[in-house]
């Protein structure tokens, strides 16, 4: 039994967080000692990388999602067995119940639909639109991010195999349109909160999105074709 008033002691260096970076979609591991670094590298396939606040670990680029999750889960369990405290992002845990993430996402969408249905004024509608289209963290920007990654890897695979990337480029055009719509919803949200008096301001243009033809032309020029 601990003494009355005694506080627990934590070793920050021993604590490891394994999560997915929202900007790059890379699986990263932060914290830990040299011993933890060795476990991350040998069990989870992580590599050391320099960071603005010191070195950290990440998985290799272009690693398939199923391999990302398998490596992150294996590393987390190996670290726990070694006595290291670990936080593993639930979305990376292969031992979670099948379909759990999908069911949670569906419940979240159902809740947004209900909140929109019972909204009594523009500000309550705006809170729903914020969840949908907020920069970086909104549903639509995250969907655009997923589609962009799909388009990029699809294009690379088609070009490496000498195949026509036309379908992948169609996906890129559609993703660009979705990004513009997400930006437009952000503007509607601002108008609904009164942040942008729409009656007094002319609408601004959405950020330009490159077309498939432009992207292909740039790649061809870079390769000297």
């Amino acid at each position: 039994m601990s003494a009355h008033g005694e506080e627990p002691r934590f070793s920050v260096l021993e604590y490891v967080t394994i999560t997915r970076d929202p900007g790059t979609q890379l699986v990263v591991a932060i914290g830990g000692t040299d011993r933890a670094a060795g476990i991350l590298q040998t069990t989870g396939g992580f590599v050391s990388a320099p960071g603005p606040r010191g070195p950290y670990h990440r998985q290799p680029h272009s690693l398939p999602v199923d391999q990302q999750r398998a490596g992150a889960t294996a590393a987390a369990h190996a670290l726990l067995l070694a006595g290291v405290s670990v936080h593993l992002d639930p979305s990376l845990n292969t031992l979670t119940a099948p379909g759990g993430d999908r069911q949670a996402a569906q419940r979240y969408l159902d809740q947004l639909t209900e909140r929109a249905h019972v909204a009594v004024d523009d500000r309550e509608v705006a809170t729903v639109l914020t969840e949908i289209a907020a920069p970086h963290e909104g549903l639509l920007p995250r969907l655009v991010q997923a589609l962009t990654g799909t388009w990029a890897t699809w294009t690379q695979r088609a070009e490496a195999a000498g195949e026509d990337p036309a379908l992948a480029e169609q996906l890129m055009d559609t993703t660009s349109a979705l990004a513009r719509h997400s930006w437009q919803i952000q503007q509607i949200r601002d108008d609904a909160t009164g942040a942008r008096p729409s009656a007094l301001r002319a609408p601004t243009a959405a950020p330009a999105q490159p077309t498939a033809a432009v992207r292909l032309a740039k790649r061809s020029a870079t390769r000297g074709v």
Side-chain angles (χ1 to χ4, degrees), residues 5-105:
E6 183 180 353
E7 296 293 335
R9 297 179 180 180
F10 299 100
S11 177
V12 176
L13 290 177
E14 287 289 343
Y15 193 89
V16 177
T17 297
I18 302 176
T19 187
R20 187 183 300 281
D21 175 61
T24 63
Q25 291 302 296
L26 286 172
V27 176
V28 300
I30 304 169
T33 61
D34 289 341
R35 184 187 181 199
I39 294 174
L40 287 166
Q41 293 175 17
T42 58
T43 306
F46 287 78
V47 297
S48 179
R53 297 183 180 179
Y56 68 99
H57 280 78
R58 63 165 176 79
Q59 290 181 337
H61 292 275
S62 303
L63 195 66
V65 173
D66 57 340
Q67 293 183 28
Q68 289 179 341
R69 299 183 72 221
T73 301
H77 282 270
L79 287 167
L80 288 172
L81 289 174
V84 180
S85 297
V86 181
H87 168 73
L88 175 63
D89 188 327
S91 68
L92 297 172
N93 191 346
T94 60
L95 301 180
T96 55
D101 292 343
R102 180 184 295 274
Q103 292 172 7

Side-chain angles (χ1 to χ4, degrees):
M1 180 182 296
S2 62
H4 179 70
E6 183 180 353
E7 296 293 335
R9 297 179 180 180
F10 299 100
S11 177
V12 176
L13 290 177
E14 287 289 343
Y15 193 89
V16 177
T17 297
I18 302 176
T19 187
R20 187 183 300 281
D21 175 61
T24 63
Q25 291 302 296
L26 286 172
V27 176
V28 300
I30 304 169
T33 61
D34 289 341
R35 184 187 181 199
I39 294 174
L40 287 166
Q41 293 175 17
T42 58
T43 306
F46 287 78
V47 297
S48 179
R53 297 183 180 179
Y56 68 99
H57 280 78
R58 63 165 176 79
Q59 290 181 337
H61 292 275
S62 303
L63 195 66
V65 173
D66 57 340
Q67 293 183 28
Q68 289 179 341
R69 299 183 72 221
T73 301
H77 282 270
L79 287 167
L80 288 172
L81 289 174
V84 180
S85 297
V86 181
H87 168 73
L88 175 63
D89 188 327
S91 68
L92 297 172
N93 191 346
T94 60
L95 301 180
T96 55
D101 292 343
R102 180 184 295 274
Q103 292 172 7
Q106 290 173 343
R107 287 194 299 270
Y108 177 53
L109 290 173
D110 289 342
Q111 291 170 4
L112 282 181
T113 301
E114 179 61 22
R115 286 169 57 187
H117 179 70
V118 300
V120 297
D121 57 30
D122 289 353
R123 286 190 173 273
E124 290 190 5
V125 172
T127 61
V128 175
L129 296 181
T130 299
E131 297 286 334
I132 293 172
H136 305 296
E137 298 302 321
L139 292 172
L140 280 178
R142 284 184 174 271
L143 177 58
V144 168
Q145 191 175 62
L147 289 171
T148 300
T150 302
W151 162 77
T153 55
W154 191 3
T155 301
Q156 291 172 1
R157 187 168 60 250
E159 291 180 339
E163 300 172 352
D164 184 0
L167 286 177
E169 297 295 348
Q170 288 181 28
L171 177 62
M172 190 276 284
D173 283 340
T174 302
T175 302
S176 296
L178 184 61
R180 290 193 296 271
H181 291 316
S182 178
W183 181 87
Q184 290 167 349
I185 291 175
Q186 292 178 40
Q187 307 310 300
I188 294 171
R189 180 262 180 196
D190 288 347
D191 288 341
T193 60
R196 265 186 3 123
S198 56
L200 301 178
R201 291 180 56 179
T204 56
Q209 300 292 329
T211 64
V214 171
R215 296 293 293 270
L216 285 173
K218 287 183 177 179
R219 282 203 297 271
S220 297
T222 301
R223 296 171 182 171
V225 176

